[in-house]
Amino acid sequence: MTEERAGRDENADALSAFEDMGPVDYIVVEFPGSRFTGHGLPLLVDLVDRGVIRLLDLVFVKKELDGSLTGLVLADLDADGELDLAVFDGVSSGLLGQDDIDEAGAVLEAGSSAGILVYENSWAGPFASALRRGGAQLVASGRVPVQALLASLDAAEQRD
């Protein structure tokens, strides 16, 4: 096989993999005062193990008191003697760039840390792929933060 054809085959394989992907989302989770308990980690591992999501990027950062941003190494974040995030060590697709990390850091309070996750909603892959094959395209999406939903429900209850 020629080098040119091999390159085309690799590109076709990559394109096919993207066509079968579910929607990709990101979240930035702040830990005020850099207090990390690790309570959510078993649930994150479970979501990955069950194929509900696929982690594409995972980065931890700390916003120093002077406003500068530093990367945090995966470690025993809750100080229980076990390496909490070893299973995610090296998770990096390259989608998350320094500009994205800086933008996430801009919303953090000084002295706080954050986890930045980019993930595929694997559960939705077959559905999204079928829609694309049928000519459909996603033209909008969004999220309603739980805090906003609760505030809206409280406001509606007070009106009643």
Side-chain angles (χ1 to χ4, degrees), residues 30-112:
E30 182 177 33
F31 303 101
S34 292
R35 288 181 303 277
F36 184 86
T37 65
H39 283 99
L41 289 176
L43 297 172
L44 180 61
V45 170
D46 181 59
L47 290 171
V48 172
D49 286 348
R50 290 187 297 128
V52 175
I53 66 169
R54 178 171 59 120
L55 288 184
L56 301 173
D57 284 297
L58 175 61
V59 173
F60 284 87
V61 295
K62 180 176 182 182
K63 187 167 188 176
E64 303 294 344
L65 295 176
D66 67 2
S68 64
L69 204 59
T70 58
L72 296 176
V73 177
L74 298 179
D76 179 16
L77 297 176
D78 62 4
D80 68 355
E82 295 182 32
L83 186 60
D84 304 304
L85 301 170
V87 69
F88 301 124
D89 193 21
V91 172
S92 178
S93 68
L95 290 174
L96 191 60
Q98 189 60 50
D99 289 348
D100 301 313
I101 294 168
D102 292 342
E103 187 175 333
V107 300
L108 299 178
E109 292 293 324
S112 293

Side-chain angles (χ1 to χ4, degrees), residues 14-30:
L15 183 57
S16 176
F18 282 115
E19 288 175 354
D20 294 335
M21 283 183 74
V24 174
D25 289 323
Y26 73 92
I27 59 173
V28 178
V29 180
E30 182 177 33

